[in-house]
Amino acid sequence: MNEILKILNSDNKSQIKAVFLFNKDLDGELIRKKFNYWSKYFFPQFFDSKDTDFHKKIDEGKIGVYLKGDNFLDIGFRGCSKTTRTKLFIAFVIANDESHYRKYFKVLSKDIGNAKQSTTDVYNMLISRRVKALYPEIFEKTEAKREETMSSFTTATGIKMTADSVGTDQRGDIQDESRPDFIYFDDFETRMSLMSAQITHKIWLNMEEARNGLSKDGGIVYCANYISERGNVHKLVQKIKNQIIIPIEENNEPTWDRYTKDDVAKIKAETEDYEGEYLCKPS
């Protein structure tokens, strides 16, 4: 650890980059450590509180999706950092996987604006000053015509990321003769969508179309709040074995020291559906 910190505090760009680079054959635990070094080196603003045990499990789940094509259901209370860590992970693998194992990332949300924002956030991470200085190859100019907007982009290394809505048909989504091989569902179920059984069912059908349209070895991350036993999140809880459900407190103790007991009490007093949004127990 001290040797790594020494390298990261140096001016040797090649050695710094070597700390973060990996390929698909590297052990998943080493990739997880590299991801944490990279995230905290470039984006310390997201880590003003120390990580806790469930963050390790969140990271392990996403690495399993990336390397093995798993499906991972990531349910957590609002503010547990599941969305931020997912976007950081996607930016990390785009920048550092020398094998470019995943070629086509797709973000799907109930609201297309949320999906576009996630893609924009990843894009902004990759073009941030310090990242761009260490990884100029990601968006270097090439002769090939490439899309490069904040809501849909293709890197010079041949990796595409795009945004869409779970309310639209997902059939036939192919990029350069390849199908999406990493799908990230986020905020795909809301209180408004749950008010209509017809809309809820349509979303499920579109999610299934997206899943069936994956490449043969592709995987999916589902990030969600658990606010109802009538919706699609509940279906996934019953269906997906690889899952984590994170409440804000257990046995009257906060599960992350970012939140004190007083913080939890304030959230509980002010939140209309504390059990669903923060305990992940809609029943």
Side-chain angles (χ1 to χ4, degrees):
M1 181 65 182
N2 289 335
E3 184 63 28
I4 290 172
L5 289 175
K6 184 178 178 181
I7 292 171
L8 296 181
N9 289 324
S10 74
D11 295 324
N12 191 319
K13 289 187 176 181
S14 62
Q15 287 189 358
I16 291 172
K17 198 170 184 178
V19 171
F20 309 131
L21 293 176
F22 72 96
N23 61 57
K24 68 181 181 62
D25 298 318
L26 192 66
D27 176 74
E29 178 58 18
L30 286 177
I31 294 174
R32 188 189 68 81
K33 289 180 179 179
K34 284 174 175 282
F35 165 60
N36 277 273
Y37 294 147
W38 186 85
S39 300
K40 290 164 186 173
Y41 178 77
F42 286 107
F43 303 102
Q45 66 270 28
F46 296 129
F47 298 93
D48 54 357
S49 298
K50 186 178 178 181
D51 288 352
T52 191
D53 289 343
F54 65 70
H55 291 123
K56 179 179 179 182
K57 294 177 181 178
I58 287 174
D59 297 343
E60 288 173 342
K62 292 173 176 61
I63 290 169
V65 173
Y66 191 83
L67 296 179
K68 303 174 186 176
D70 292 344
N71 291 333
F72 176 56
L73 178 58
D74 184 1
I75 293 175
F77 65 90
R78 295 188 182 279
C80 72
S81 196
K82 60 183 182 294
T83 299
T84 298
R85 294 183 88 92
T86 304
K87 291 184 286 192
L88 282 168
F89 179 73
I90 292 173
F92 164 74
V93 296
I94 289 175
N96 291 287
D97 181 4
E98 295 181 285
S99 58
H100 304 306
Y101 184 47
R102 299 297 178 190
K103 301 287 189 184
Y104 189 173
F105 294 81
K106 188 171 186 180
V107 187
L108 289 163
S109 300
K110 173 65 175 68
D111 183 346
I112 183 64
N114 289 339
K116 286 183 176 180
Q117 185 61 56
S118 292
T119 306
T120 298
D121 290 343
V122 172
Y123 180 84
N124 284 337
M125 289 173 188
L126 294 173
I127 65 167
S128 62
R129 181 181 58 82
R130 293 180 68 221
V131 172
K132 195 171 183 179
L134 197 62
Y135 304 89
E137 69 278 6
I138 296 176
F139 290 113
E140 69 180 352
K141 298 301 180 183
T142 64
E143 292 183 2
K145 187 177 180 180
R146 303 194 323 268
E147 184 178 23
E148 189 178 324
T149 67
M150 289 189 293
S151 61
S152 182
F153 62 84
T154 302
T155 69
T157 52
I159 300 169
K160 182 178 178 67
M161 185 171 184
T162 189
D164 203 352
S165 165
V166 290
T168 61
D169 193 336
Q170 298 298 312
R171 289 191 185 97
D173 193 355
I174 298 176
Q175 170 72 17
D176 294 334
E177 300 183 355
S178 65
R179 296 173 179 272
D181 54 8
F182 190 108
I183 293 178
Y184 165 34
F185 285 102
D186 187 38
D187 284 334
F188 54 90
E189 185 160 80
T190 65
R191 296 192 184 281
M192 290 297 292
S193 67
L194 284 165
M195 291 175 68
S196 168
Q198 184 177 3
I199 291 174
T200 298
H201 183 60
K202 182 181 178 182
I203 289 173
W204 178 258
L205 293 178
N206 287 340
M207 291 173 69
E208 284 294 281
E209 277 185 2
R211 183 180 65 81
N212 291 329
L214 272 171
S215 67
K216 184 178 179 181
D217 61 350
I220 301 176
V221 171
Y222 300 89
C223 284
N225 298 108
Y226 196 6
I227 56 176
S228 174
E229 291 188 324
R230 299 191 308 272
N232 296 320
V233 173
H234 185 64
K235 281 187 182 180
L236 293 170
V237 169
Q238 296 177 310
K239 187 172 183 172
I240 295 177
K241 292 182 179 180
N242 187 19
Q243 62 178 250
I244 183 171
I245 299 178
I246 308 162
I248 195 171
E249 62 172 334
E250 288 181 331
N251 301 318
N252 295 317
E253 292 291 334
T255 54
W256 186 11
D257 62 12
R258 179 183 179 88
Y259 299 94
T260 66
K261 286 187 175 182
D262 287 342
D263 292 333
V264 174
K266 185 173 186 292
I267 290 170
K268 188 174 184 178
E270 295 177 351
T271 303
E272 184 175 346
D273 180 16
Y274 177 73
E275 287 74 16
E277 294 188 2
Y278 286 92
L279 294 184
C280 305
K281 295 180 179 178
S283 62

